Amino acid sequence: MNIRHSQEEDLPRIMEIYGIARRFMAEHGNPNQWGPTNWPPRELILRDIREGHSYVCTQDDRIIGTFFYQYGKDIEPTYRHLMEGAWKDPDDYGVVHRIAGDGSRKGIGSFCLNWAFDQCGHLRIDTHPDNVVMQNLLARLGFVRCGITHVEEDDNPRYVYEKSLRRRA
């Protein structure tokens, strides 16, 4: 598998993968994270592509996964104030959002998250409380749950996770 920046011509396949992911989540006890709002919207993904934050995972030149990745200081506004917890590492971090695979190969999510972590050594991510599949994946990859945040697209809380080479106790 390989990771590359998304291109505008990838948009139809990316949106197809998000449709597959919504169905998968609904079938695995998580119908509310992306389903009711048909998340993520095409316009947001197009903006991510144009700003250089959208990535695709490919195998044999076929797109099999997609995600948002950005690195910087205080880059995710919803992560500034956590409920029921705190971040372990206050330094600059990478963030992954909207990660999804087409299910054609096992390990797409792990590959994408490991790639993102390798870019920065400090990664944060959030997921819906009903997304047990993602919570298990994050635990397997060494992420630590740090608290709860809320996102703009719905009223549901999100569990936030962090993995850092410099993690403080």
Side-chain angles (χ1 to χ4, degrees):
M1 288 188 278
N2 295 296
I3 302 291
R4 67 167 171 80
H5 275 101
S6 304
Q7 301 167 1
E8 287 190 32
E9 56 266 22
D10 299 329
L11 191 57
R13 177 65 178 149
I14 290 170
M15 298 313 295
E16 179 183 2
I17 289 171
Y18 284 127
I20 293 167
R22 282 190 295 275
R23 287 189 297 279
F24 177 87
M25 287 192 288
E27 291 167 2
H28 290 84
N30 183 22
N32 296 313
Q33 185 170 352
W34 289 353
T37 59
N38 204 33
W39 191 260
R42 181 184 187 283
E43 299 75 29
L44 176 61
I45 303 308
L46 188 57
R47 186 181 78 207
D48 292 347
I49 292 170
R50 290 177 176 161
E51 292 177 356
H53 301 302
S54 178
Y55 293 82
V56 291
C57 177
T58 63
Q59 182 170 32
D60 300 325
D61 295 324
R62 177 166 171 75
I63 296 172
I64 60 173
T66 186
F67 61 99
F68 170 99
Y69 169 77
Q70 184 178 7
Y71 177 80
K73 182 170 184 62
D74 200 25
I75 55 174
E76 177 51 61
T78 64
Y79 289 178
R80 289 184 185 137
H81 304 287
L82 300 185
M83 298 168 42
E84 300 178 28
W87 297 114
K88 309 295 184 202
D89 182 344
D91 295 333
D92 294 359
Y93 60 89
V95 65
V96 170
H97 290 307
R98 300 183 283 284
I99 185 168
D102 69 0
S104 66
R105 177 174 174 180
K106 200 163 181 66
I108 296 169
S110 295
F111 187 83
C112 295
L113 286 169
N114 286 330
W115 177 91
F117 184 75
D118 288 346
Q119 305 309 299
C120 62
H122 183 199
L123 200 57
R124 294 179 179 173
I125 188 170
D126 63 82
T127 194
H128 194 283
D130 292 341
N131 197 341
V132 176
V133 172
M134 179 57 76
Q135 292 170 45
N136 290 336
L137 172 61
L138 294 171
R140 250 189 344 269
L141 294 178
F143 284 78
V144 175
R145 185 171 152 195
C146 294
I148 296 173
T149 192
H150 285 80
V151 295
E152 295 176 9
E153 59 265 17
D154 62 45
D155 293 330
N156 296 304
R158 296 293 193 274
Y159 294 155
V160 292
Y161 292 81
E162 180 175 42
K163 182 177 178 179
S164 175
L165 292 173
R166 304 172 302 268
R167 188 178 81 206
R168 291 152 173 80

